[in-house]
């Protein structure tokens, strides 16, 4: 089976691009405003936007689990007075959310994106069947009407989300009074953060080699990659997931590496493995993470996987990388 290499330069919430947030302090002056076309992050006291669980506050809005597929995409209003959130302005261009899944009936993923755009090929949250409530930070652009869409790939799942802040195109002159109220919460020198992600759902066979640790990876053309461009020296935290399918007695192992020419897995460095399911059985997932010191410029990371004892198919993989500068 031949596959082209998968590259992703997707963004938080799959839609927002690289976001740059600037710390607010008393040193900010109106004369330092970068211009009315720029976007500024305004943090707020966290408020619950919605909760699909019956009986959970807020008691308005969708109160049933989110179903699977395009037919069950849910559109959520964000701006205005929604749930327990009051006064998110209509000029907000994006929002910072903390989204949590609960009670999932199947392994799946969630995509959060603007309601006026096509569903992206990216995920905001991944989980397995029966997983405990799991949150994730999601920055997502809003539609002109202040709405987002939520897509669930498989099964049903409850969702609830809190708003931590929003992005506005207002100049610093216009939001000077808002900054005075929140500058103690932001602190100084808020770091630039960049994010990239990659995802695929194709069935990829891995090499079957025994015994371990002499693991031969799948061809480079079948490795999942993510590239993030660092504006300065810093650290990149990479998170990856993979789902095993078929195989029987084998074991799937995966490792995150920054060596794009890797031909084997370093069995002594953060290798994560799971048993292969019987053909037709449940599809278990593994998750692994790794932190790299990086220099300024493009940095590419691969998810390298291999099988032991019996052939295994990788059915689903995802990677995300977040950059934080030194200091």
């Amino acid at each position: 089976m031949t596959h082209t290499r998968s590259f992703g330069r997707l963004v938080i919430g799959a839609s927002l691009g690289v976001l740059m947030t600037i710390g607010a302090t008393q040193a900010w002056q109106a004369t330092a405003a970068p211009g009315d076309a720029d976007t500024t992050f305004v943090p707020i006291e966290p408020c619950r936007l919605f909760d699909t669980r019956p009986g959970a506050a807020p008691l308005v809005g969708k109160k049933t689990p989110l179903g699977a597929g395009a037919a069950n995409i849910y559109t959520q209003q964000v701006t205005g007075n929604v749930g327990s959130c009051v006064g998110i302005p209509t000029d907000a261009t994006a929002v910072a959310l903390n989204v949590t899944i609960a009670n999932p009936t199947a392994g799946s993923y969630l995509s959060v994106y603007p309601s006026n755009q096509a569903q992206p090929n990216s995920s905001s949250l991944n989980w397995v069947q029966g997983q405990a409530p799991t949150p994730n930070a999601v920055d997502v652009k809003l539609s002109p009407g202040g709405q987002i869409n939520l897509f669930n790939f498989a099964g049903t799942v409850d969702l609830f989300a809190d708003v931590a802040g929003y992005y506005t195109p207002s100049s610093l002159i216009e939001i000077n009074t808002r900054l005075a109220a929140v500058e103690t919460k932001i602190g100084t020198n808020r770091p630039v953060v960049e994010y990239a992600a990659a995802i695929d759902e194709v069935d990829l066979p891995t090499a079957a080699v025994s015994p371990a640790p002499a693991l031969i990876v799948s061809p480079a053309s079948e490795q999942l990659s993510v590239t993030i461009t660092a504006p300065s020296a810093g650290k990149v935290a990479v998170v990856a997931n993979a789902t095993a399918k078929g195989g029987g007695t084998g074991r799937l192992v995966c490792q995150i590496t920054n060596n794009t020419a890797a031909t084997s897995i370093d069995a002594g460095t953060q290798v994560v493995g799971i048993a292969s399911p019987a053909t037709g059985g449940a599809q278990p997932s593994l998750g692994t993470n790794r932190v790299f010191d990086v220099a300024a410029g493009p940095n590419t990371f691969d998810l390298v996987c291999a099988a032991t004892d019996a052939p295994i198919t990788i059915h689903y993989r995802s990677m995300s990388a977040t950059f934080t500068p030194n200091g």
Side-chain angles (χ1 to χ4, degrees), residues 48-104:
R48 183 62 49 90
L49 185 67
F50 67 89
D51 193 328
T52 66
R53 297 172 297 178
L59 299 178
V60 296
K62 180 176 175 60
K63 302 303 292 182
T64 57
L66 181 62
N72 291 294
I73 291 173
Y74 175 61
T75 300
Q76 172 68 47
Q77 182 68 37
V78 177
T79 57
N81 300 329
V82 184
S84 64
C85 298
V86 178
I88 298 178
T90 57
D91 70 352
T93 57
V95 66
L97 300 175
N98 191 50
V99 182
T100 303
I101 63 98
N103 309 313

Side-chain angles (χ1 to χ4, degrees), residues 127 171 252:
W127 62 86
S171 72
L252 175 67

